[in-house]
Amino acid sequence: MTNRRQYKLNNLDCASCASKIEERLSAIDTFSEVSVNFPTATLTLKAKGEPRELLDRINLEISRVEPGCVAVELSGDRAGSHSEQGRSHTHSEAEGKWQIGTVIASAICFVTAYLCREIPAAPAILSPILFISSILLAGWPVFAAAVKSLRHISLDEHLLVTIAVVAASFMGDFAEAAAVTLFFGVGELFEHYAVGRSRKSIAALSEIRPDTANLLLPDGATQQVSAQEVEVGATLQILPFERIPLDGVVLSGESTVDASAITGESAPQNAGPESELLSGMINGPGTLTMQVVNSYAQSAASRIIDMVENAAQRKAPAERLVTKFAKIYTPAVVILAALLAIVPPLLGGDWKEWAHNALVFLVASCPCAFVLSVPLGFFAGVGAASKRGILVKGGCYIETLEKPGAVVFDKTGTLTTDQFTVTHIAAVNGVSEQAVLEAAALAECRSKHPIARSISEAFGEIEESRISNFSETPGGGTRVIADGEEILCGAKRLMQEHGVDISALPNEMVYVARGGQLLGAVSVSGKLREDSALAVKQLRALGVSRIVMLTGDHEEAAREAAAACGITEYHAGLLPEEKLEILEQIKRESGVTAFVGDGINDAPVLAAADVGVAMGLGTDAAIEAGDVVLTNNQPSKLPQAIVLFRRCMRIIRFNITFALLVKGIVLLLGALSLAGMWAAVFADVGVTILAVLNSARILSKRT
């Protein structure tokens, strides 16, 4: 059996290395669906075999691409990886301090060397010695990385800078060689800081899930246990201002809860008996007792963390394009640099001048700004969305949902709540309204559909011993044998299929028939969500040209809901397969189409849409079928997502354009002897730092 596995990649310091590792492992038959996420330094893949053997094989292949990078397997709950990550973090901190120290020492040598050149009494040999010391102090990590790259015939910025420094030193220009090394070292420190800051912001998402829980024992005492060991049905005590470890229902106590980590809403919510609590929420001033309803792995916080961390597996077209571009771009500029160093001198030019121009060309050409900032930008977009209660399963959906041509809504559970009430009962053929409701309740009592539940609740308790042969047709209704007679309850289509005459009530929502004869009909309505009309208005303001509602409800209910929301195009009385057909037609006519549904009966349509938007964390169907999940059941989160995704794409496109423009200018000026090595290093490291910091802006609170 092929299992999905996840690994932490310690010492993964460059985005191009991440791409190389992903490419290397993808080429091996043992592994499939390989994805390396540079922002979180994780590797995800599917493989068949013993864990120890797989890990050894993975590290062997990684060492051939990026020596020093080590994979450490993460357990399903990631708890087992904490100590390893802690050691890695301590090691990185120590290494960072050592690198800062060497850069400072290099700067002191560099300044002293310049001063010595201005002092006539200073020995002539002293200045070159100090410049060489500056080069070695700041450049040793660069040179070590260059040797690794050379060993694996890999062109990266470390190798290109090393070539430039060695060549400049060979030509006797120690001052420029030292300046390039020092500037590059300082730039690397800033780059690591910028990437580390973004990683910390993203990694903070994992802190919404506590590792421990207060288990309430039968004698009333509490015991602190690992949250992953708590079983469904157990009773927990939630202390004041404590983060809730698992999903559950309040048994006793009164408090408020902060649900911002789950839904993105900062306003506190009241919590009392029968209130639903989700892991990741923070309790207020009261003490609560709750019963666990989901396991640790299936809790809301775990699902959010998994979706955010696994989002890198679905790369956006822009990410893939940048990776392909870098593979072609880097060898191309190296060839151009070689031609620049060789051809002009052969035609009578000064070889030293053109060699210098070629070195400037090489250093300026490094593609790190795109390779690093683009995936970081998409991942920052995923992280920023999750903070707002919008879960995105991949960067590809950010790019797709940026400009939808059409948005299609389901009605029940999406534009309206899934809390229905019986509003009217019609009776025919001499039957009482109570008898109609009783027959409907007998037919619907075993159904989980919200409409069925509302009918059962309206009647009250049913003796299930009276019922046999229950069957349910999605989008149609239910059929049972009760007290020896067949009862049908459902849509017009169900009645027609069984030959029931409904001419006495031609336009009702839920028909009820017993023994082939119509008893009457039940009207059920759900309350319109408070922000449904606002969502439609905001979508139109964002330029969405077509907004459609699809529903299985009858014409009258559909018309009322559509009018209340401001939707002019709707289709009523649809079966799931008919919704699918209409959605496909809308896609052909309007281009990129998003479908918004509650995930209960809409899984096929959610999967068929260009972007399936599922409402809420309540059902596995919503989590599995949706590409984007709105955790708090608010349709207005969709226009918020579009605004955020547009901002994300603007920043990413700006980074690409800015990097190409600066590099293009410096490459051109370098080829014409109008740009020095300082400009080349800025075009590499400086542009990368600015692009990374710009990508980090996506994580800001601004929508």
Side-chain angles (χ1 to χ4, degrees):
M1 180 179 173
T2 303
N3 295 319
R4 176 178 166 278
R5 299 185 179 279
Q6 192 167 47
Y7 303 85
K8 182 74 177 176
L9 294 176
N10 292 330
N11 305 319
L12 179 65
D13 296 322
C14 72
S16 58
C17 302
S19 298
K20 291 170 189 173
I21 292 171
E22 182 174 302
E23 185 179 0
R24 176 87 183 188
L25 294 175
S26 296
I28 298 171
D29 293 338
T30 307
F31 309 123
S32 63
E33 298 182 25
V34 180
S35 176
V36 176
N37 185 345
F38 176 70
T40 56
T42 52
L43 162 67
T44 306
L45 52 77
K46 284 188 176 181
K48 184 179 180 180
E50 292 296 321
R52 184 72 255 173
E53 293 176 1
L54 290 173
L55 183 59
D56 290 343
R57 179 67 188 278
I58 288 168
N59 278 318
L60 175 63
E61 299 300 332
I62 289 175
S63 67
R64 292 171 176 169
V65 178
E66 182 57 20
C69 181
V70 180
V72 179
E73 185 165 16
L74 297 177
S75 61
D77 52 35
R78 294 171 180 78
S81 65
H82 290 173
S83 60
E84 185 64 41
Q85 290 184 45
R87 286 194 295 271
S88 173
H89 178 67
T90 304
H91 173 72
S92 298
E93 273 194 348
E95 189 176 298
K97 289 178 181 178
W98 171 255
Q99 195 170 349
I100 290 171
T102 56
V103 168
I104 291 172
S106 173
I108 292 170
C109 290
F110 181 80
V111 172
T112 307
Y114 257 107
L115 292 175
C116 287
R117 291 206 310 188
E118 302 299 321
I119 301 173
I125 193 67
L126 183 58
S127 181
I129 289 174
L130 287 171
F131 277 130
I132 292 171
S133 299
S134 177
I135 292 169
L136 294 175
L137 283 167
W140 67 267
V142 180
F143 305 149
V147 171
K148 295 176 186 176
S149 299
L150 194 60
R151 233 171 42 217
H152 299 286
I153 319 175
S154 171
L155 294 169
D156 63 12
E157 73 273 21
H158 299 102
L159 180 58
L160 298 182
V161 168
T162 299
I163 292 171
V165 170
V166 170
S169 301
F170 179 74
M171 290 186 289
D173 197 344
F174 295 111
E176 184 166 82
V180 168
T181 312
L182 180 58
F183 190 16
F184 189 82
V186 171
E188 287 268 279
L189 286 176
F190 276 107
E191 183 181 317
H192 289 161
Y193 168 76
V195 172
R197 181 171 170 268
S198 297
R199 280 182 171 174
K200 284 180 181 178
S201 297
I202 294 166
L205 292 169
S206 63
E207 296 175 5
I208 68 173
R209 179 181 57 183
D211 292 328
T212 60
N214 300 316
L215 183 65
L216 193 62
L217 303 176
D219 62 0
T222 59
Q223 178 184 355
Q224 191 171 80
V225 297
S226 171
Q228 58 187 303
E229 295 175 359
V230 177
E231 297 180 353
V232 174
T235 303
L236 302 181
Q237 186 179 70
I238 311 298
L239 299 175
F241 307 108
E242 186 177 61
R243 196 176 287 273
I244 296 164
L246 296 153
D247 300 347
V249 176
V250 177
L251 298 176
S252 63
E254 298 282 345
S255 187
T256 58
V257 292
D258 175 1
S260 58
I262 305 298
T263 65
E265 297 299 323
S266 57
Q269 302 174 9
N270 293 325
E274 299 186 8
S275 295
E276 181 185 46
L277 299 179
L278 297 177
S279 60
M281 292 179 173
I282 300 174
N283 186 24
T287 299
L288 299 173
T289 301
M290 62 166 268
Q291 185 175 48
V292 177
V293 297
N294 278 327
S295 67
Y296 186 74
Q298 293 299 313
S299 66
S302 295
R303 287 174 166 180
I304 289 172
I305 292 168
D306 287 343
M307 274 191 278
V308 172
E309 292 188 349
N310 295 328
Q313 295 177 59
R314 297 178 174 91
K315 288 181 167 50
E319 289 181 85
R320 299 188 186 280
L321 183 62
V322 163
T323 303
K324 291 177 182 177
F325 170 75
K327 289 178 183 177
I328 301 168
Y329 167 82
T330 305
V333 294
V334 170
I335 293 170
L336 288 173
L339 292 173
L340 199 61
I342 296 170
V343 174
L346 291 177
L347 298 176
D350 182 357
W351 74 268
K352 188 174 181 179
E353 177 188 351
W354 288 103
H356 180 271
N357 293 347
L359 295 177
V360 171
F361 200 89
L362 272 180
V363 174
S365 67
C366 296
C368 279
F370 338 105
V371 175
L372 183 57
S373 67
V374 171
L376 189 61
F378 278 109
F379 200 75
V382 171
S386 71
K387 290 180 179 180
R388 293 162 172 80
I390 303 161
L391 305 183
V392 190
K393 290 187 177 179
C396 56
Y397 304 118
I398 290 178
E399 195 166 354
T400 303
L401 195 55
E402 178 194 10
K403 291 183 179 178
V407 173
V408 181
F409 286 98
D410 174 45
K411 182 179 83 70
T412 305
T414 303
L415 293 173
T416 63
T417 67
D418 57 6
Q419 300 299 314
F420 291 89
T421 57
V422 174
T423 56
H424 176 68
I425 300 171
V428 296
N429 298 323
V431 179
S432 68
E433 292 181 3
Q434 185 66 13
V436 173
L437 184 59
E438 180 183 18
L442 285 166
E444 301 280 27
C445 68
R446 292 184 181 176
S447 173
K448 301 300 182 183
H449 194 281
I451 291 177
R453 289 203 302 267
S454 69
I455 291 173
S456 297
E457 289 169 3
F459 179 77
E461 289 292 328
I462 287 287
E463 295 180 22
E464 289 204 31
S465 59
R466 298 168 60 187
I467 301 167
S468 62
N469 297 335
F470 171 84
S471 64
E472 185 169 10
T473 303
T478 57
R479 172 190 174 276
V480 297
I481 302 297
D483 302 329
E485 285 189 287
E486 179 187 65
I487 298 179
L488 302 173
C489 184
K492 181 186 295 186
R493 185 179 290 103
L494 181 70
M495 301 298 144
Q496 292 172 341
E497 288 174 358
H498 287 79
V500 178
D501 180 11
I502 59 170
S503 57
L505 298 169
N507 296 305
E508 293 294 334
M509 183 178 182
V510 180
Y511 292 95
V512 185
R514 183 194 292 269
Q517 183 180 28
L518 182 68
L519 299 182
V522 178
S523 293
V524 177
S525 64
K527 183 181 178 183
L528 196 70
R529 292 192 188 276
E530 292 181 359
D531 65 338
S532 292
L534 176 64
V536 173
K537 181 180 178 181
Q538 290 176 336
L539 288 171
R540 293 197 192 284
L542 289 171
V544 179
S545 58
R546 191 175 183 185
I547 301 175
V548 186
M549 185 182 77
L550 305 181
T551 179
D553 284 354
H554 64 89
E555 175 70 22
E556 183 180 351
R559 183 172 61 252
E560 289 178 0
C565 293
I567 296 175
T568 56
E569 182 181 353
Y570 66 90
H571 301 268
L574 302 176
L575 292 172
E577 56 267 28
E578 291 173 329
K579 286 185 181 180
L580 196 57
E581 289 174 8
I582 294 175
L583 180 78
E584 294 291 351
Q585 181 182 344
I586 293 171
K587 285 171 62 176
R588 289 191 296 270
E589 295 171 353
S590 302
V592 173
T593 299
F595 178 82
V596 190
D598 62 6
I600 297 174
N601 297 312
D602 298 319
V605 198
L606 283 166
D610 294 303
V611 180
V613 182
M615 296 277 286
L617 286 166
T619 65
D620 289 334
I623 297 296
E624 293 300 323
D627 305 314
V628 176
V629 180
L630 309 180
T631 61
N632 63 355
N633 291 315
Q634 290 183 353
S636 61
K637 285 289 184 182
L638 179 59
Q640 288 182 34
I642 293 173
V643 170
L644 174 63
F645 296 166
R646 287 181 180 178
R647 179 170 178 250
C648 179
M649 292 307 302
R650 280 198 306 271
I651 289 174
I652 289 170
R653 290 189 183 109
F654 175 84
N655 285 345
I656 294 172
T657 304
F658 174 68
L660 285 173
L661 184 63
V662 172
K663 286 181 181 293
I665 291 171
V666 174
L667 288 174
L668 179 61
L669 294 177
L672 298 174
S673 303
L674 298 175
M677 200 63 75
W678 285 89
V681 175
F682 172 76
D684 174 22
V685 180
V687 170
T688 300
I689 294 169
L690 292 175
V692 168
L693 290 174
N694 196 35
S695 293
R697 287 197 307 120
I698 299 169
L699 286 162
S700 68
K701 288 292 183 183
R702 176 187 155 199
T703 301

